[in-house]
Each structure stands twice: as C-alpha cells, then as structure tokens.
Amino acid sequence: MKRFLLPAASLFVLGTATPSLAYDPSTLKSLLEGPETWNELRSQGSRSHIDLDNAQLEDARLDCANLQDASLVRAQLSGTSMNHANLKRANLFLARMKRMDLKNASLREATLCRTDLKNSFMNNTDLRQSNLAMADLRWAHLAESDLRGAFLEQVKLFGADLSSSDLRGANLSGAEMLAQARLDGALLSQNTIMPDGSRATRLDATLRGARFMKEPEREPVRMSTTMLPPAAAARPDAAPTAAARPDATPAAPPETLPTVLEQDVDTWNAMRQEQPDLQPDMEDENLSDAHLEHANMANLAMQNATMDGADMDNADFTGSELSGSSWKRADLAEAVFRQARLNGADFERAYMRKADLGEADLTGAQFHGTRLQECNLQNAVLTNANLFNADLSKADLRGTDLTGARLLDTVLQGALISPETTLPSGTPATRNWAVLRGARFIDHDE
C-alpha cells in the first residue's frame, strides 16, 4: 500500500489510537451461532460478562438477542439486524451502526456517545436515559421512539425522522440541524432542552408541528461526553496522549502513521490547493471506515482503492482514476465524481443521495442496493452496470448509456429520461418506457 505523507512539521498527532483486538473470540462465536442459542447461554448465567469491544459484526442477524450490559465499544455493527434486541445499559461508545435495523429494540440507559447511526431504522425503539452525545443520527428513522431523558448534546440530526417520538426531558443542547429533522407529532415539554440551551415552549412545538405537554420542571439531564473505553480507563498508569496534555507541543508522526488525508482533511485540502501539481499515487490505497467528508480527491490515481464504509459526504473525486475501486456501505451523499473513471467499481449498499456522477465512466459498476436518489447521471456511461434493487428515484438520467445494464427491481420513480438516454436493449428511450417505470420523459420540446 502506498502512503503519501506531508513533511512532519505540518502534522500533529490526534491522540486517538486505533485500538487492538479486545473482544473474547469465544463470546463472538457463541453470539454468531444465533440469538436463540446465545439467549439460552445467557439465561444459564454462562455469559454474565459480555466483552465484544471492537468485534466485527457487520450484516449479522441478531434479532431478539440479549446483549444487556454488554460492552461493544467501537464494535462494527453496520448493516446488522437487531430488531427487538435487548441492549439495555450496553456500552456502544464509538460503535459504527450505520443502516442497522433496531426497530422495537431496547437501548434504555445505553451509552451511544459518538456512535455512527446514520440511516439506521430505530422506529419504536426505547432510548430512555440513553447517552447519544455527539452521535451521528443523520437520516436515521426514529419515528415513535421513546427518548425521554435522553442526552442528545451536539447530536447530528439532518434528515432524521423523529415524528411521533417522545422527547420529554431530552437534552438537545448544541444539536445540529434540528430544523432539518421531522418532528411532526413529536412530544415536547418544558423539560426538553432546545439546541440553544433554552427550555422548549408551546410555540417551539407548534412551529415544528410537534405537541407540547406541561409537566413538573426538572433539572436538565447531563451525561459525560468524554467516556473512554473500559480497557483504556482501567489502566491507571497509562500516559496521556500529546493531544490530551494542555502543555504539550505538536508531535511529528512516525513514518508508519496513515496518510495525512486520514489524519487531517483540512491540512490535506490546503496542501492540494497550495501545490496543485502534486499528484499523490494512491493506487491500491485502503481508506475503509475513514472520515473524509469534504476531502479534495480530484484528479488522483486511485485504481483498485478500497473505501468500504468510509464517510465521504461532499468529497470531490472529479476526473479521478477509480477503476476497480470498492465503496461498499460508504456514505457518499453529494459527493462529486464528474468525468471520473469508475470501471468495475463496487458501490454495493452505498448511500449516494444527490451525488454528481455526470459524464462518469461506470462501465460494469456494481450498484446492488445502492441509494442514488436525486443523483446526477447525465451523459454517464453505465454499460453492463448492475443496478439490482438500486434506488434511482428523481435521478437525472438524461443522455445516460444503460446498454446491457441490469435494472431488476430498480426504482426509477420520478427519474428524468430523455431521447438521448440509451436503454439496456441498446435502443433510445421512449416516453412509454419511462411511463411504465414511473419516470419522467423530457423531450427536446419541453
């Protein structure tokens, strides 16, 4: 793997090391054998202490599993199904829980501080007295959830559905983008703390389509936002990191550190702006699970790179060479791929709402279960692409070449089709074909 490092003077250590393997392999194996077997073991008291820190549980089927009081710090749970699961008082600090199914689950008094819950389904979930400080709840589904007494300080709520949820006593101090969340039918009280730190009023509720209930006034709920994983907190002799010491000077990283891109996107972007002729070779680079929102990745050589599970909302890949790259379960909302070469790229289950793929070469690309709502695909080449179960509602497909593309169960509701759009059969699109798919046909005269 090639690494591109800035001069040492331009970097600093962030002080958050990637933890080593911490979970008990026998515990993980027992859990993956199935919830029924697992719950039976717990009922017999053979699994009283559950250590699953850093466990790899992506896409697992754990409906109804009893994980009460379990430690799942930094666990990888994206895509996992835990409907009706018992996670009461579980420690999910810094866990990755994107696109999870947690409907009717119990997360009462759970620690979800700094947890990534984007696009997760948590309808009718019990989140009473849970710690969701600085959690990412963008586009999460929380309809009819119980958030009474929950701590939601600095939580991200853009596009979250909180309709008919119970927010009495919830502390939303510093919450981001509450105005862009759905609150119709939600229940507030004067014990609900608004993002500006004030107590909710009947007017606040009315303006958001919510309901207001008067109740006895209580002190706002407060919880820790700097909770360390148990393994780190248990070491009394552990030295503080450079970033944690107020008197420390920035330290230069060793050559084994990841690229500057992974450490500091702002520094990376500044470097690329100041040195436009500098072209880092990032072929075969592995950036899985990296946080690279707004990164400038334009005109890079990134063949066969891996970005699985990465957060790359608003990143710019204009003109980049990305053939054979992998983006499974990545967050790519409003990312830009104009004129990029993406032959054979794998976007399985990625979230790409409003991404710009205009004039991109996506020959043979995989979009199985990908969410491409409102994407710009004008004049893109999707020859032999796999769009099985992809959501292209309201996408712009004018001039797109779909020759040989697989459109089984593909959602095209409201998508824009033009006579220049080439159908999988290799023939020009027609109005009848668009209407049958629920799409809009835009003729030259319109």
Side-chain angles (χ1 to χ4, degrees):
M1 182 188 301
K2 298 180 180 65
R3 293 290 185 187
F4 183 82
L5 298 173
L6 278 182
S10 64
L11 292 172
F12 58 91
V13 176
L14 297 182
T16 304
T18 301
S20 60
L21 185 71
Y23 62 83
D24 176 8
S26 65
T27 301
L28 179 63
K29 182 179 178 182
S30 297
L31 179 59
L32 293 176
E33 286 175 356
E36 291 185 7
T37 302
W38 169 265
N39 291 345
E40 179 65 23
L41 289 171
R42 289 215 72 184
S43 68
Q44 296 171 2
S46 61
R47 295 291 177 187
S48 56
H49 174 68
I50 310 303
D51 182 1
L52 289 165
D53 293 351
N54 305 298
Q56 301 293 318
L57 287 163
E58 291 184 335
D59 300 315
R61 301 290 300 183
L62 301 174
D63 295 332
C64 301
N66 179 6
L67 287 161
Q68 180 172 310
D69 298 308
S71 183
L72 289 147
V73 173
R74 289 193 172 96
Q76 303 295 317
L77 291 156
S78 295
T80 295
S81 180
M82 283 189 168
N83 296 322
H84 297 276
N86 180 5
L87 289 155
K88 187 176 180 180
R89 294 187 300 274
N91 186 356
L92 291 147
F93 181 79
L94 280 172
R96 292 180 68 83
M97 303 172 69
K98 297 188 292 184
R99 288 179 290 278
M100 281 191 70
D101 280 324
L102 285 160
K103 296 183 288 293
N104 299 291
S106 176
L107 285 155
R108 186 172 182 175
E109 301 175 51
T111 298
L112 294 152
C113 187
R114 307 189 190 189
T115 298
D116 188 347
L117 284 155
K118 288 195 293 293
N119 294 293
S120 284
F121 289 87
M122 305 171 72
N123 297 355
N124 202 34
T125 296
D126 186 354
L127 288 155
R128 285 175 290 173
Q129 290 90 45
S130 59
N131 185 355
L132 286 150
M134 292 180 277
D136 195 338
L137 289 168
R138 285 177 289 174
W139 306 291
H141 302 266
L142 291 149
E144 301 182 12
S145 59
D146 192 342
L147 286 150
R148 283 177 290 171
F151 190 56
L152 293 149
E153 186 175 273
Q154 298 182 50
V155 71
K156 295 180 181 178
L157 290 167
F158 181 86
D161 183 359
L162 289 156
S163 55
S164 301
S165 62
D166 194 338
L167 289 161
R168 288 176 292 169
N171 189 340
L172 291 152
S173 296
E176 299 179 23
M177 299 168 284
L178 181 63
Q180 283 74 45
R182 284 189 60 186
L183 286 172
D184 45 297
L187 186 58
L188 311 181
S189 75
Q190 68 267 42
N191 291 312
T192 304
I193 306 301
M194 302 302 286
D196 62 0
S198 65
R199 292 180 179 270
T201 64
R202 193 175 299 278
L203 179 60
D204 289 323
T206 301
L207 291 173
R208 291 167 173 81
R211 297 173 295 147
F212 186 83
M213 178 180 290
K214 193 169 183 179
E215 58 181 3
E217 192 169 296
R218 299 185 298 274
E219 285 296 313
V221 62
R222 296 285 180 189
M223 298 183 192
S224 172
T225 61
T226 57
M227 184 175 181
L228 290 173
R235 296 196 302 271
D237 59 337
T241 63
R245 296 193 302 268
D247 59 338
T249 56
E255 291 186 356
T256 55
L257 277 180
T259 62
V260 59
L261 169 64
E262 294 173 272
Q263 294 292 333
D264 188 350
V265 171
D266 290 338
T267 300
W268 167 271
N269 288 346
M271 175 201 72
R272 297 214 67 202
Q273 183 175 0
E274 294 167 6
Q275 304 178 58
D277 296 331
L278 194 60
Q279 296 298 318
D281 182 1
M282 301 183 71
E283 184 177 351
D284 298 313
E285 189 70 56
N286 189 341
L287 296 169
S288 297
D289 299 317
H291 291 271
L292 305 175
E293 294 94 335
H294 298 278
N296 178 2
M297 311 294 288
N299 301 307
L300 292 178
M302 297 184 68
Q303 300 95 319
N304 303 310
T306 303
M307 275 74 66
D308 296 343
D311 290 331
M312 292 185 168
D313 296 343
N314 299 102
D316 185 0
F317 292 90
T318 300
S320 288
E321 171 57 74
L322 296 156
S323 300
S325 52
S326 181
W327 312 75
K328 295 177 182 177
R329 297 186 301 274
D331 282 315
L332 294 161
E334 300 187 46
V336 180
F337 291 93
R338 290 195 65 82
Q339 300 179 340
R341 186 174 175 83
L342 288 150
N343 308 60
D346 191 347
F347 290 95
E348 181 180 351
R349 297 178 67 188
Y351 186 83
M352 304 180 71
R353 190 183 188 95
K354 292 187 178 181
D356 187 350
L357 293 148
E359 301 178 30
D361 186 349
L362 293 152
T363 302
Q366 297 291 318
F367 290 99
H368 184 186
T370 308
R371 297 173 68 177
L372 292 150
Q373 302 101 314
E374 301 179 70
C375 274
N376 175 29
L377 284 156
Q378 282 193 71
N379 301 311
V381 178
L382 283 157
T383 303
N384 298 321
N386 179 11
L387 290 157
F388 173 68
N389 201 33
D391 188 347
L392 286 154
S393 53
K394 297 185 180 179
D396 194 337
L397 295 165
R398 289 176 291 174
T400 305
D401 187 353
L402 293 164
T403 303
R406 187 183 182 194
L407 296 181
L408 184 63
D409 291 333
T410 305
V411 178
L412 291 168
Q413 194 70 33
L416 301 182
I417 307 291
S418 73
E420 291 75 33
T421 303
T422 304
L423 300 180
S425 62
T427 59
T430 62
R431 187 178 298 276
N432 286 343
W433 188 91
V435 171
L436 288 172
R437 291 279 184 164
R440 295 173 53 202
F441 189 77
I442 308 298
D443 210 339
H444 299 294
D445 300 329
E446 298 184 37

